[in-house]
Amino acid sequence: MEFTDGRSAAEMENVLATLVANVASLKDHLKEWCVTQNLAFPGDGLIDSDLSVGLIHDLWNRDKHGALSRPRSGHRPLIQDVHQSLGVEPIDGPGSSIEGRFDPETGETRVVAGPNTKLSLVIDGEIVDESGTKLGGVLETCAKALDSWETTMAACGVPR
């Protein structure tokens, strides 16, 4: 089974690039907040000290500028192995199920979720360094970076 939902590799890469840009641009939003509140800006320290935040910032800069002259994460990260997969999540406790159905007349395979199951198509990829060493998944790294930005923003008094 394939789960591309008709998306090309370039379209999936663009989805991840947009996610990276949105997370990385939190730096500029926090910077503006700090200026208007007359607060010291902690964003550069966060980028330099938190690997996930640094990786996302470096991926964004590489996308914007085509190269990295000064990687903040200590790596020159790239995104590889972009793929879309089927996410299966239980809803309201036990009883989740998934069933694959094959139609011999059309050759089509359908995935059907049980009543307590949520299905979603998930685009992800691997972040690797300049030597090809895996540093983490894009979604996991973005989630960690978001948590760090949220903590930092809360400490600066940014309202939710």
Side-chain angles (χ1 to χ4, degrees):
M1 291 184 165
E2 63 90 18
F3 299 105
T4 63
D5 197 31
R7 287 189 177 101
S8 69
E11 288 170 320
M12 289 188 281
E13 289 167 7
N14 281 335
V15 168
L16 291 181
T18 300
L19 173 62
V20 166
N22 285 333
V23 174
S25 68
L26 291 173
K27 171 193 175 190
D28 295 326
H29 293 285
L30 178 58
K31 191 173 200 172
E32 181 61 23
W33 169 265
C34 289
V35 167
T36 62
Q37 301 300 311
N38 200 26
L39 297 171
F41 174 62
D44 288 318
L46 179 63
I47 292 167
D48 293 335
S49 66
D50 185 299
L51 180 60
S52 294
V53 174
L55 287 170
I56 296 304
H57 185 79
D58 286 345
L59 286 166
W60 188 43
N61 273 335
R62 171 172 250 150
D63 192 36
K64 288 189 307 183
H65 304 294
L68 279 178
S69 58
R70 189 175 60 99
R72 306 280 294 272
S73 66
H75 300 281
R76 295 186 183 280
L78 296 166
I79 297 175
Q80 294 182 341
D81 301 325
V82 174
H83 60 276
Q84 184 163 286
S85 57
L86 181 66
V88 181
E89 295 178 62
I91 300 171
D92 296 329
S96 294
S97 65
I98 184 171
E99 179 181 319
R101 295 180 184 164
F102 178 74
D103 184 336
E105 291 182 20
T106 64
E108 187 175 285
T109 303
R110 291 220 180 263
V111 176
V112 180
N116 292 334
T117 308
K118 176 185 171 190
L119 299 180
S120 56
L121 293 175
V122 180
I123 299 172
D124 202 355
E126 285 291 330
I127 300 173
V128 298
D129 69 9
E130 56 279 2
S131 65
T133 301
K134 291 181 180 181
L135 301 172
V138 175
L139 294 181
E140 177 186 10
T141 304
C142 282
K144 288 178 182 177
L146 280 170
D147 287 344
S148 295
W149 280 117
E150 183 177 30
T151 299
T152 302
M153 288 179 163
C156 291
V158 176
R160 285 191 121 199

